[in-house]
């Protein structure tokens, strides 16, 4: 029985199909990136960043908080994330606001404010995302996995045109 246990866990190559993008320049990252429900991430040429209503990565997504704030970004070749190749490290250093997503079974898709629900903790005061890169027909996309990374749920950010 003990010999079968490694067959059920995360094994090498489980995320081999996560694209390993290289050759990306910082100029390709600079700009505003958007996702659903008002999410917007602006990365400036000086390395600063402004985040609006960005959800948490991996299991933090399940806490249903959304964060807005200011911070920094860096395009890096350091080993991190789920793929080989380059990544963007996005860090909010100062949270300016926090809100929550409504549960998927709620009547409305609107975000609820962070002021009146003491049963949930607000978004952290600072937070770091590791963004994977993917080349698509429309151009470069940034993404991270949300909820259980084994489920391969992806949260894509596409560059505003």
């Amino acid at each position: 029985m003990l010999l079968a246990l490694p067959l059920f866990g995360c094994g090498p190559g489980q995320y081999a199909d996560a694209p390993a993008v290289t050759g990306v320049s910082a100029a390709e990252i600079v700009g505003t990136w958007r996702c659903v429900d008002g999410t917007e991430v602006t990365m400036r040429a000086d390395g600063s960043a402004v985040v609006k209503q960005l959800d948490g990565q991996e299991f933090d997504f399940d806490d249903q908080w959304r964060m807005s704030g200011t911070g920094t970004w860096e395009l890096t070749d350091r080993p991190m994330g789920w793929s080989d190749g380059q990544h963007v490290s996005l860090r909010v250093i100062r949270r300016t606001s926090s809100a929550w997503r409504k549960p998927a079974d709620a009547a409305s898709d609107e975000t609820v404010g962070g002021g009146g629900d003491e049963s949930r903790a607000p978004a952290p005061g600072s937070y770091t995302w590791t963004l994977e890169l993917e080349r698509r027909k429309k151009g470069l996309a940034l993404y991270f996995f949300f909820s259980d990374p084994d489920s391969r749920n992806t949260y894509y950010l596409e560059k505003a045109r």
Side-chain angles (χ1 to χ4, degrees), residues 45-61:
D46 66 0
S48 66
V50 178
V51 170
K52 179 183 172 196
Q53 298 297 322
L54 186 58
D55 295 283
Q57 183 172 347
E58 297 178 0
F59 289 108
D60 291 334
F61 180 86

Side-chain angles (χ1 to χ4, degrees), residues 16-44:
D17 62 341
V21 176
T22 59
V24 174
S25 70
E28 291 178 87
I29 304 300
V30 171
T32 298
W33 299 79
R34 294 191 175 115
C35 191
V36 297
D37 296 330
T39 297
E40 192 171 281
V41 177
T42 300
M43 293 185 249
R44 299 183 179 129

Side-chain angles (χ1 to χ4, degrees), residues 111-135:
T111 302
V112 291
D117 191 343
E118 280 74 27
S119 67
R120 300 188 218 180
S126 64
Y127 192 81
T128 301
W129 289 263
T130 298
L131 303 175
E132 310 285 340
L133 294 94
E134 181 177 325
R135 290 233 183 249

Side-chain angles (χ1 to χ4, degrees), residues 54-137:
L54 186 58
D55 295 283
Q57 183 172 347
E58 297 178 0
F59 289 108
D60 291 334
F61 180 86
D62 297 337
D63 292 337
Q64 298 184 353
W65 54 258
R66 307 193 83 208
M67 177 189 279
S68 297
T70 58
T72 61
W73 71 273
E74 175 189 22
L75 178 64
T76 180
D77 293 327
R78 286 190 316 270
M80 58 192 325
W82 293 100
S83 68
D84 296 330
Q86 292 175 290
H87 295 84
V88 173
S89 178
L90 173 64
R91 179 167 174 79
V92 166
I93 297 168
R94 188 175 75 83
R95 183 188 76 210
T96 56
S97 69
S98 175
W100 290 277
R101 289 186 321 277
K102 284 193 175 192
D105 59 356
S108 171
D109 290 335
E110 295 178 26
T111 302
V112 291
D117 191 343
E118 280 74 27
S119 67
R120 300 188 218 180
S126 64
Y127 192 81
T128 301
W129 289 263
T130 298
L131 303 175
E132 310 285 340
L133 294 94
E134 181 177 325
R135 290 233 183 249
R136 299 169 133 187
K137 289 180 183 178

Side-chain angles (χ1 to χ4, degrees), residues 5 10 89 103:
L5 288 177
C10 297
S89 178

